Structure formats: structure tokens, C-alpha cells
Amino acid sequence: MCHREGRIDRRTVLVGAGCLALGWGLPGGAAAQNPRPRQSPIDIRRRRVTFVERLPKVSFRYPDTIDVTLVNTGSPGEFATVRADVPLGAARLFIKGTRWDLAQFHWHTPSEHEVEGRKTPLEMHLVHSRSDGALLVVAMFIERGRANRALGPLFRALPDAPGATRDVADARLRDLLPGRRRSFRYSGSLTTPPFTEPVRFIVFADSIEASRRQIGLFQEVFPDGNAREVQRLNGRPVVSDAG
């Protein structure tokens, strides 16, 4: 049975970011050796990844568009971000019949996760919670490329003062997802204080794109970056269908 550190407030602790059948756990004894053995983000090294033909399918039940409220949680600052709050229950995903509701999504620059030591300009986290308070984060790398029509209205409305908010109507939520859904999965933590464990992470192997200007709009709000450094894997399994 997966350990859980009590219920999580969906609007406060969720700023940062049970174990599924394939590798979402920790080898026995590791928790006794390290009080925080499952921290995020990590550097995903393929030699440490177990590749499988199929992982449990992630079924997104996101509306085409959704109204969001952008909240500046304290820029500039290492653990601050701009968070997009969504109406509770308006968007969800299912894995093996279990429902996870989208609470909010936010961004980090540069990316928090790495692949073979490489970062991308941005990373987006879609933070979900289960009815018992467990957390699941879907993470996506954002590469520099073509302008992103879904990110454009959000980044043009970024509040640049701590505590400031702005409402954005009809955000193209489904268009924020990559066309391919291959992923890396592991058990981690929130990447902001209090770094709560465990948090299920699904890191898409396939990135989305944003233009240089769009990336620059977010980096202007966080000129020193807002990404936590990578953490030790500590023997945790990482599984992937991105062979």
C-alpha cells in the first residue's frame, strides 16, 4: 500500500507539483536510509529506465476550452510561479479507472526535469488530485519552435506582480497536450516547499513548442529562473514506454 502524508490543500500546497502497477514505488529499506528518498525533479537517464511495451493508459477528459485564473505566487523567486487555477471538477484524467481532477497548472524556467542532463527552456506541470488527497503531476517539456496558440493568450496575460491575478477566458486546455503521449513515470515529490512525498509523476517524452517571444514573456517574470535543481534518484524505478 502506498504511503501518503495526509490530505493536501489543493489551492496552496499544489503550487509545486498510491503507486500504479508498473514501478511506481520504492525499493524496500530506502525510506529508512533517507528521510526524503523520493524527491523531484530528476535527471532521466535511459540506462536507469525500465522500458515496457505498454503502460497504463492515461485518458484525458479535458474540455476543449476552460476559464482559468492566473495567479502570481511571488515572482521573482526560486519557488514561485504563475499558476493557472481551473474550476474544480471541470477537467480530469483517468488511469486504470481511477479519477484524478485537475486543480491547476503552472510553469518553470528552465525545465526542472532533465533528460540525459539536458534541460529545455520551459516545463509545464498539470497538477491533479485524487479524492483521498493523493497527487499526480503530468509534466511536459517546452522547446523553442513555432508559436503555440494555446499558450499565447495565457502568456500574454501573465501577472507580473506577487499576488496579482488575471482571468483568462476560453483557454485551449486540450491543445496544451502533445500529440504523442509516451512518457516516463516515477514516484517523486512536490518541487516546492514542503516538498511533500509521494507524488506520482508522468513526464511526457514528447515535448510541445513555444516561440522565442512566448518563452521570453515567461522568463521576463522570472529573470533568475524558478526551477529546483535535480535530486538523487536513490534507486527509484523509472518506467517508460518511450523506447
Side-chain angles (χ1 to χ4, degrees), residues 46-76:
R46 291 187 177 271
R47 69 178 182 272
R48 299 174 182 169
V49 173
T50 299
F51 292 97
V52 298
E53 185 175 353
R54 289 186 180 88
L55 290 174
K57 182 180 178 181
V58 182
S59 297
F60 288 91
R61 306 288 176 84
Y62 284 5
D64 290 335
T65 62
I66 195 169
D67 296 342
V68 303
T69 299
L70 299 177
V71 182
N72 185 314
T73 67
S75 69

Side-chain angles (χ1 to χ4, degrees), residues 4 8 10 29 34 40 43 65 73 78 80 97 117 166 173 188 191-192 198 211-212 226 237:
R4 180 171 60 86
I8 306 297
R10 302 171 77 189
N34 185 340
S40 295
D43 181 9
T65 62
T73 67
E78 179 183 2
R166 287 185 182 173
L173 186 59
T191 63
T192 57
S211 68
R212 180 195 296 267
N226 66 334

Side-chain angles (χ1 to χ4, degrees), residues 10-29:
R10 302 171 77 189
R11 291 301 188 198
T12 56
V13 179
L14 285 178
V15 171
C19 298
L20 290 181
L22 289 169
W24 291 46
L26 192 69

